[in-house]
Amino acid sequence: MSNNLNHLRVFIKKILSVIFLCLVLTACTAPKQSQPPTIKITSSAQPEPTKETTVIKPEKENIVPVEYMPVTLPTISLSPIGTNVVNKKLKEVKLQDASVVLYSKKSGESQTIYAGIKTGDKIYEIEGIIGYGNPDETEISRNYFNGISLIKIRGSEGASAPITHYIKIENSFPISFIQMEKYCQEYDIDSDGKKELITSAGGTIPETEIIKVNGNKFESVNLNQVMNGVVTFDNKHLEFIVYQPNKNPELYKMTSRGMEYVSEQS
């Protein structure tokens, strides 16, 4: 019987040895669980600004807002005159569909110049005088103002008293479009594709105004009031010269946002 017990013990040891060996092999061959990588968080160092990386913020734009207000521009009447009124024809400028005639009157002084628009065989007198002395000092031209064909006549009623007439011809009949007791120039001053009238009155203190055409209506702004100073127009560079107390003259240009500072006048 003791032999049988010995055999049983040996058999149990073999079984236990096999089980232990299997457990060891399983533990050795099982895949290891991958551990997530350890992320070390450190504060990023901010680079010191250099000439290449430094961003220079622009200064605040120097724009003076401009607001246009509705305005009614004056016109004058044109009436036909007879040959018995004309004393002497001083000058005649032929244009596309009419002529401008400068003349003196029998009832007036010989140095006083009047202007009329000649269409066909009639002369339509422009109300008031257009100049004195030399008729060549009266400027006559054909202008196209935003698609409107106009006759421009610019003269002077006296010292520092400019006058500008714009005449439109409709059905061979002259009609006063604008009459201004100012110097007038036509430029697209704010680059919007439409011309504006830049006007300046005579006198010792210049006063500059801009007139826009909005449909069939006119709008204007007085730049002297906007800039709180005296404003003149430089038609060569299309800039405005602004004179303000205790400051050097400054140059501005007109934009869609208003009067934009350019520089001091050199």
Side-chain angles (χ1 to χ4, degrees):
M1 184 172 176
S2 61
N3 288 334
N4 291 335
L5 292 174
N6 290 334
H7 287 301
L8 180 61
R9 290 191 185 98
V10 171
F11 178 77
I12 292 173
K13 288 181 178 180
K14 289 182 178 180
I15 293 298
L16 292 175
S17 298
V18 170
I19 293 172
F20 177 76
L21 181 62
C22 290
L23 291 175
V24 170
L25 292 176
T26 302
C28 293
T29 58
K32 295 182 178 181
Q33 295 293 329
S34 59
Q35 298 296 324
T38 302
I39 301 175
K40 185 177 181 180
I41 300 176
T42 58
S43 59
S44 58
Q46 297 296 326
E48 292 295 327
T50 64
K51 291 183 179 180
E52 289 75 14
T53 60
T54 301
V55 178
I56 301 176
K57 294 184 179 180
E59 295 181 0
K60 183 179 180 180
E61 290 182 317
N62 195 351
I63 301 288
V64 180
V66 172
E67 182 180 3
Y68 289 85
M69 302 298 293
V71 64
T72 301
L73 298 182
T75 59
I76 48 96
S77 61
L78 291 90
S79 303
I81 60 171
T83 55
N84 59 328
V85 174
V86 177
N87 177 47
K88 183 180 179 180
K89 185 184 292 186
L90 304 173
K91 186 177 182 178
E92 182 173 354
V93 178
K94 294 183 179 181
L95 302 171
Q96 183 178 359
D97 49 4
S99 297
V100 177
V101 179
L102 304 181
Y103 56 91
S104 60
K105 285 185 177 182
K106 292 180 179 180
S107 59
E109 297 179 1
S110 60
Q111 296 296 310
T112 303
I113 302 174
Y114 298 85
I117 305 296
K118 183 179 179 181
T119 58
D121 57 353
K122 291 184 178 180
I123 297 178
Y124 295 86
E125 183 180 42
I126 297 174
E127 185 180 282
I129 64 175
I130 198 64
Y132 293 94
N134 187 358
D136 291 333
E137 294 179 355
T138 300
E139 300 179 21
I140 300 169
S141 62
R142 168 71 70 177
N143 286 69
Y144 293 91
F145 184 67
N146 298 328
I148 304 173
S149 179
L150 300 173
I151 297 172
K152 181 180 179 180
I153 306 171
R154 188 171 74 179
S156 177
E157 295 179 309
S160 301
I163 184 167
T164 306
H165 292 282
Y166 291 93
I167 307 294
K168 184 179 179 182
I169 305 297
E170 289 187 356
N171 300 321
S172 299
F173 188 83
I175 299 173
S176 175
F177 185 72
I178 302 173
Q179 183 266 329
M180 301 286 290
E181 293 183 354
K182 299 179 179 181
Y183 295 108
C184 297
Q185 302 177 72
E186 310 85 26
Y187 291 98
D188 181 7
I189 200 64
D190 55 5
S191 302
D192 66 348
K194 297 180 180 180
K195 288 184 178 180
E196 289 79 38
L197 288 182
I198 298 92
T199 72
S200 57
T204 56
I205 301 178
E207 186 174 53
T208 300
E209 183 179 14
I210 299 179
I211 299 173
K212 294 174 71 75
V213 178
N214 187 0
N216 295 325
K217 298 180 180 180
F218 295 103
E219 298 176 341
S220 71
V221 60
N222 188 309
L223 293 185
N224 285 37
Q225 296 176 2
V226 170
M227 303 304 295
N228 293 317
V230 176
V231 180
T232 62
F233 178 59
D234 176 7
N235 61 1
K236 183 178 180 180
H237 300 95
L238 300 185
E239 294 177 338
F240 296 92
I241 307 171
V242 179
Y243 302 87
Q244 295 174 324
N246 304 318
K247 293 178 65 176
N248 292 330
E250 297 177 333
L251 298 178
Y252 283 78
K253 64 180 179 180
M254 179 62 73
T255 69
S256 59
R257 296 174 294 170
M259 290 279 281
E260 181 176 357
Y261 174 78
V262 177
S263 66
E264 282 191 2
Q265 186 187 27
S266 59

